[in-house]
Amino acid sequence: GAGGMSPCAACKLLRRRCAKDCIFAPFFPPDEPQKFAYVHKVFGASNVNKMLQDLPVYQRADAVNSMVYEANSRIRDPVYGCVGAISALQQQVAQLQAQLAVSQAEIVCMRMQHAST
Amino acid sequence: GAGGMSPCAACKLLRRRCAKDCIFAPFFPPDEPQKFAYVHKVFGASNVNKMLQDLPVYQRADAVNSMVYEANSRIRDPVYGCVGAISALQQQVAQLQAQLAVSQAEIVCMRMQHAST
Protein backbone atom coordinates (compact mmCIF):
# COMPACT_ATOMS: atom_id res chain seq x y z
CA GLY A 1 0.00 0.00 0.00
CA ALA A 2 0.86 3.69 -0.26
CA GLY A 3 3.75 4.43 2.12
CA GLY A 4 3.55 1.02 3.75
CA MET A 5 -0.09 1.61 4.70
CA SER A 6 -2.77 -0.93 3.87
CA PRO A 7 -4.25 -0.48 0.38
CA CYS A 8 -7.40 1.63 0.01
CA ALA A 9 -10.77 -0.13 -0.23
CA ALA A 10 -10.84 0.36 -4.02
CA CYS A 11 -7.42 -1.18 -4.71
CA LYS A 12 -8.21 -3.99 -2.29
CA LEU A 13 -11.41 -4.88 -4.14
CA LEU A 14 -9.74 -4.46 -7.55
CA ARG A 15 -6.75 -6.49 -6.29
CA ARG A 16 -4.23 -3.97 -7.53
CA ARG A 17 -1.31 -2.13 -6.00
CA CYS A 18 -2.39 1.05 -4.20
CA ALA A 19 -0.05 3.69 -5.63
CA LYS A 20 1.13 6.70 -3.64
CA ASP A 21 -1.05 8.97 -5.81
CA CYS A 22 -4.02 6.58 -6.02
CA ILE A 23 -7.08 8.62 -7.04
CA PHE A 24 -9.39 6.48 -4.89
CA ALA A 25 -7.33 6.35 -1.68
CA PRO A 26 -8.41 9.73 -0.19
CA PHE A 27 -12.10 8.77 -0.44
CA PHE A 28 -12.21 5.04 0.07
CA PRO A 29 -10.37 4.15 3.29
CA PRO A 30 -9.73 0.44 3.93
CA ASP A 31 -12.06 0.43 6.96
CA GLU A 32 -15.12 1.31 4.84
CA PRO A 33 -15.07 -1.35 2.09
CA GLN A 34 -18.82 -1.04 1.35
CA LYS A 35 -18.53 2.48 -0.08
CA PHE A 36 -16.37 1.37 -2.99
CA ALA A 37 -18.26 -1.90 -3.41
CA TYR A 38 -21.48 0.10 -4.01
CA VAL A 39 -20.09 2.55 -6.59
CA HIS A 40 -18.14 -0.23 -8.32
CA LYS A 41 -21.27 -2.35 -8.69
CA VAL A 42 -23.45 0.48 -10.04
CA PHE A 43 -21.10 2.78 -11.97
CA GLY A 44 -18.04 0.57 -12.48
CA ALA A 45 -14.56 1.39 -11.20
CA SER A 46 -13.37 2.88 -14.48
CA ASN A 47 -16.35 5.26 -14.69
CA VAL A 48 -15.79 6.37 -11.10
CA ASN A 49 -12.11 6.92 -11.90
CA LYS A 50 -13.03 8.94 -15.03
CA MET A 51 -15.62 11.05 -13.17
CA LEU A 52 -13.10 11.87 -10.43
CA GLN A 53 -10.33 12.70 -12.97
CA ASP A 54 -12.71 15.15 -14.68
CA LEU A 55 -13.29 17.10 -11.45
CA PRO A 56 -11.03 19.51 -9.57
CA VAL A 57 -9.61 17.97 -6.39
CA TYR A 58 -11.76 20.11 -4.05
CA GLN A 59 -15.02 18.76 -5.55
CA ARG A 60 -14.09 15.08 -5.49
CA ALA A 61 -15.20 14.32 -1.91
CA ASP A 62 -18.70 15.69 -2.63
CA ALA A 63 -18.83 13.74 -5.89
CA VAL A 64 -17.84 10.51 -4.12
CA ASN A 65 -20.46 11.05 -1.41
CA SER A 66 -23.22 11.66 -3.95
CA MET A 67 -22.13 8.64 -6.02
CA VAL A 68 -22.11 6.40 -2.92
CA TYR A 69 -25.59 7.65 -2.01
CA GLU A 70 -26.88 7.09 -5.56
CA ALA A 71 -25.31 3.64 -5.82
CA ASN A 72 -26.68 2.60 -2.43
CA SER A 73 -30.17 3.78 -3.48
CA ARG A 74 -29.94 1.82 -6.73
CA ILE A 75 -28.91 -1.36 -4.89
CA ARG A 76 -31.76 -1.01 -2.37
CA ASP A 77 -34.28 -0.15 -5.10
CA PRO A 78 -33.13 -1.55 -8.47
CA VAL A 79 -36.19 -0.15 -10.28
CA TYR A 80 -36.28 3.48 -9.14
CA GLY A 81 -32.95 4.07 -7.36
CA CYS A 82 -32.78 7.53 -5.86
CA VAL A 83 -35.34 8.78 -8.39
CA GLY A 84 -37.84 7.11 -6.04
CA ALA A 85 -36.80 9.54 -3.28
CA ILE A 86 -37.21 12.46 -5.71
CA SER A 87 -40.78 11.37 -6.59
CA ALA A 88 -41.69 10.94 -2.91
CA LEU A 89 -40.27 14.37 -2.03
CA GLN A 90 -42.08 16.01 -4.97
CA GLN A 91 -45.35 14.52 -3.70
CA GLN A 92 -44.61 15.76 -0.19
CA VAL A 93 -43.89 19.27 -1.53
CA ALA A 94 -47.18 19.30 -3.46
CA GLN A 95 -49.08 18.12 -0.38
CA LEU A 96 -47.46 20.75 1.88
CA GLN A 97 -48.14 23.49 -0.70
CA ALA A 98 -51.82 22.48 -0.76
CA GLN A 99 -52.04 22.46 3.07
CA LEU A 100 -50.32 25.85 3.22
CA ALA A 101 -52.76 27.29 0.68
CA VAL A 102 -55.70 26.05 2.77
CA SER A 103 -54.25 27.53 5.97
CA GLN A 104 -53.54 30.87 4.32
CA ALA A 105 -57.04 31.00 2.85
CA GLU A 106 -58.43 30.28 6.31
CA ILE A 107 -56.38 33.17 7.74
CA VAL A 108 -57.74 35.53 5.07
CA CYS A 109 -61.31 34.37 5.83
CA MET A 110 -60.86 34.83 9.58
CA ARG A 111 -59.45 38.33 9.08
CA MET A 112 -62.45 39.26 6.94
CA GLN A 113 -64.90 37.84 9.49
CA HIS A 114 -63.06 39.61 12.27
CA ALA A 115 -63.12 42.91 10.38
CA SER A 116 -66.87 42.60 9.76
CA THR A 117 -67.82 41.97 13.40
CA GLY B 1 -31.52 -4.99 -37.21
CA ALA B 2 -34.26 -7.06 -35.59
CA GLY B 3 -36.66 -8.21 -38.28
CA GLY B 4 -35.07 -6.00 -40.92
CA MET B 5 -35.70 -2.88 -38.80
CA SER B 6 -32.92 -0.43 -38.05
CA PRO B 7 -30.84 -1.40 -34.99
CA CYS B 8 -31.82 0.02 -31.59
CA ALA B 9 -29.96 3.04 -30.26
CA ALA B 10 -27.86 0.85 -27.94
CA CYS B 11 -26.65 -1.55 -30.63
CA LYS B 12 -26.01 1.37 -32.95
CA LEU B 13 -23.77 3.08 -30.40
CA LEU B 14 -22.06 -0.20 -29.44
CA ARG B 15 -21.67 -1.05 -33.17
CA ARG B 16 -23.06 -4.52 -32.73
CA ARG B 17 -25.79 -6.54 -34.43
CA CYS B 18 -29.23 -5.86 -32.92
CA ALA B 19 -30.56 -9.37 -32.24
CA LYS B 20 -34.24 -10.23 -32.37
CA ASP B 21 -34.30 -10.61 -28.57
CA CYS B 22 -32.03 -7.62 -27.86
CA ILE B 23 -32.56 -6.61 -24.23
CA PHE B 24 -32.09 -2.92 -25.03
CA ALA B 25 -34.30 -2.65 -28.14
CA PRO B 26 -37.69 -2.24 -26.37
CA PHE B 27 -36.40 0.74 -24.39
CA PHE B 28 -33.89 2.46 -26.64
CA PRO B 29 -35.51 3.14 -30.03
CA PRO B 30 -33.21 4.36 -32.82
CA ASP B 31 -34.89 7.79 -32.92
CA GLU B 32 -33.83 8.60 -29.32
CA PRO B 33 -30.06 8.01 -29.39
CA GLN B 34 -29.37 10.34 -26.41
CA LYS B 35 -31.14 8.06 -23.90
CA PHE B 36 -28.66 5.23 -24.35
CA ALA B 37 -25.71 7.60 -24.72
CA TYR B 38 -26.46 8.96 -21.22
CA VAL B 39 -26.80 5.63 -19.41
CA HIS B 40 -23.80 4.20 -21.27
CA LYS B 41 -21.61 7.12 -20.22
CA VAL B 42 -22.63 7.01 -16.55
CA PHE B 43 -23.37 3.34 -15.77
CA GLY B 44 -21.74 1.55 -18.70
CA ALA B 45 -23.58 -0.66 -21.17
CA SER B 46 -22.70 -3.90 -19.39
CA ASN B 47 -24.01 -2.62 -16.04
CA VAL B 48 -27.26 -1.47 -17.70
CA ASN B 49 -27.56 -4.88 -19.33
CA LYS B 50 -26.95 -6.63 -15.99
CA MET B 51 -29.45 -4.41 -14.14
CA LEU B 52 -32.13 -5.11 -16.76
CA GLN B 53 -31.43 -8.87 -16.75
CA ASP B 54 -31.91 -8.90 -12.97
CA LEU B 55 -35.40 -7.38 -13.22
CA PRO B 56 -38.69 -8.93 -14.34
CA VAL B 57 -39.75 -7.69 -17.79
CA TYR B 58 -42.64 -5.55 -16.47
CA GLN B 59 -40.28 -3.44 -14.31
CA ARG B 60 -37.65 -2.77 -16.96
CA ALA B 61 -39.25 0.30 -18.56
CA ASP B 62 -39.43 2.05 -15.17
CA ALA B 63 -35.84 1.06 -14.41
CA VAL B 64 -34.67 2.44 -17.78
CA ASN B 65 -36.52 5.72 -17.22
CA SER B 66 -35.03 6.18 -13.76
CA MET B 67 -31.54 5.30 -15.03
CA VAL B 68 -31.86 7.79 -17.92
CA TYR B 69 -32.99 10.48 -15.46
CA GLU B 70 -30.13 9.70 -13.06
CA ALA B 71 -27.52 9.61 -15.83
CA ASN B 72 -28.77 12.88 -17.31
CA SER B 73 -28.60 14.51 -13.85
CA ARG B 74 -25.03 13.25 -13.36
CA ILE B 75 -23.95 14.62 -16.75
CA ARG B 76 -25.52 18.04 -16.03
CA ASP B 77 -24.11 18.12 -12.50
CA PRO B 78 -21.02 15.89 -12.22
CA VAL B 79 -20.55 16.71 -8.53
CA TYR B 80 -24.01 16.11 -7.07
CA GLY B 81 -26.00 14.37 -9.83
CA CYS B 82 -29.60 13.82 -8.85
CA VAL B 83 -28.62 13.91 -5.17
CA GLY B 84 -28.56 17.69 -5.73
CA ALA B 85 -32.28 17.56 -6.54
CA ILE B 86 -32.90 15.52 -3.37
CA SER B 87 -31.09 18.10 -1.21
CA ALA B 88 -33.02 20.97 -2.83
CA LEU B 89 -36.35 19.18 -2.32
CA GLN B 90 -35.49 18.37 1.31
CA GLN B 91 -34.79 22.07 1.90
CA GLN B 92 -38.07 23.01 0.21
CA VAL B 93 -39.97 20.51 2.41
CA ALA B 94 -38.36 21.95 5.57
CA GLN B 95 -39.22 25.51 4.49
CA LEU B 96 -42.84 24.59 3.67
CA GLN B 97 -43.21 22.77 7.00
CA ALA B 98 -41.96 25.88 8.83
CA GLN B 99 -44.36 28.15 6.88
CA LEU B 100 -47.24 25.76 7.58
CA ALA B 101 -46.43 25.72 11.31
CA VAL B 102 -46.45 29.55 11.36
CA SER B 103 -49.79 29.69 9.53
CA GLN B 104 -51.36 27.12 11.80
CA ALA B 105 -50.12 28.93 14.90
CA GLU B 106 -51.61 32.14 13.52
CA ILE B 107 -54.96 30.39 13.05
CA VAL B 108 -54.91 29.17 16.65
CA CYS B 109 -54.08 32.69 17.88
CA MET B 110 -56.86 34.25 15.82
CA ARG B 111 -59.36 31.70 17.13
CA MET B 112 -58.35 32.49 20.71
CA GLN B 113 -58.60 36.24 20.13
CA HIS B 114 -61.94 35.77 18.42
CA ALA B 115 -63.23 33.64 21.32
CA SER B 116 -62.19 36.27 23.88
CA THR B 117 -63.92 39.21 22.19
Side-chain angles (χ1 to χ4, degrees):
Chain A
M5 315 265 282
S6 58
C8 76
C11 291
K12 211 170 175 180
L13 192 95
L14 301 173
R15 292 166 184 274
R16 60 175 210 177
R17 200 178 65 84
C18 191
K20 224 175 176 175
D21 60 347
C22 170
I23 193 163
F24 297 124
F27 314 111
F28 299 103
D31 58 323
E32 291 178 279
Q34 276 307 311
K35 280 175 65 178
F36 190 76
Y38 291 153
V39 296
H40 179 47
K41 185 171 158 57
V42 172
F43 299 105
S46 77
N47 272 346
V48 176
N49 189 331
K50 219 182 296 159
M51 288 193 239
L52 291 179
Q53 293 280 8
D54 288 348
L55 288 174
V57 173
Y58 76 95
Q59 290 190 307
R60 290 181 189 172
D62 284 343
V64 164
N65 286 336
S66 73
M67 280 190 268
V68 170
Y69 183 94
E70 230 177 289
N72 189 17
S73 301
R74 177 66 56 184
I75 289 163
R76 282 164 188 257
D77 180 351
V79 180
Y80 297 105
C82 71
V83 181
I86 292 177
S87 306
L89 282 163
Q90 282 172 337
Q91 276 176 35
Q92 200 186 350
V93 164
Q95 200 181 10
L96 284 165
Q97 283 172 330
Q99 284 178 289
L100 187 60
V102 168
S103 291
Q104 286 175 340
E106 195 173 344
I107 290 168
V108 170
C109 273
M110 286 172 85
R111 279 200 188 123
M112 287 170 73
Q113 285 182 326
H114 207 72
S116 68
T117 51
Chain B
M5 316 265 281
S6 59
C8 77
C11 292
K12 211 170 177 181
L13 193 94
L14 301 172
R15 293 166 182 275
R16 59 174 212 179
R17 199 178 67 82
C18 192
K20 224 175 175 175
D21 61 347
C22 170
I23 193 164
F24 297 124
F27 313 111
F28 299 103
D31 57 324
E32 290 178 278
Q34 275 307 311
K35 280 175 64 178
F36 190 77
Y38 291 153
V39 296
H40 179 47
K41 186 172 158 53
V42 172
F43 299 105
S46 77
N47 271 346
V48 176
N49 189 331
K50 218 180 299 161
M51 288 193 241
L52 291 178
Q53 295 279 8
D54 289 347
L55 288 173
V57 172
Y58 76 95
Q59 290 190 306
R60 291 181 188 173
D62 283 344
V64 164
N65 286 336
S66 72
M67 279 190 268
V68 169
Y69 182 93
E70 232 178 287
N72 189 17
S73 300
R74 178 64 56 184
I75 290 163
R76 283 165 187 257
D77 180 351
V79 180
Y80 297 104
C82 72
V83 181
I86 292 177
S87 305
L89 283 163
Q90 282 171 336
Q91 276 175 35
Q92 200 186 349
V93 163
Q95 200 181 11
L96 284 165
Q97 283 171 331
Q99 284 179 289
L100 187 61
V102 167
S103 292
Q104 287 175 340
E106 195 173 347
I107 290 168
V108 170
C109 273
M110 286 171 84
R111 279 200 187 121
M112 284 170 73
Q113 283 183 327
H114 207 72
S116 67
T117 52

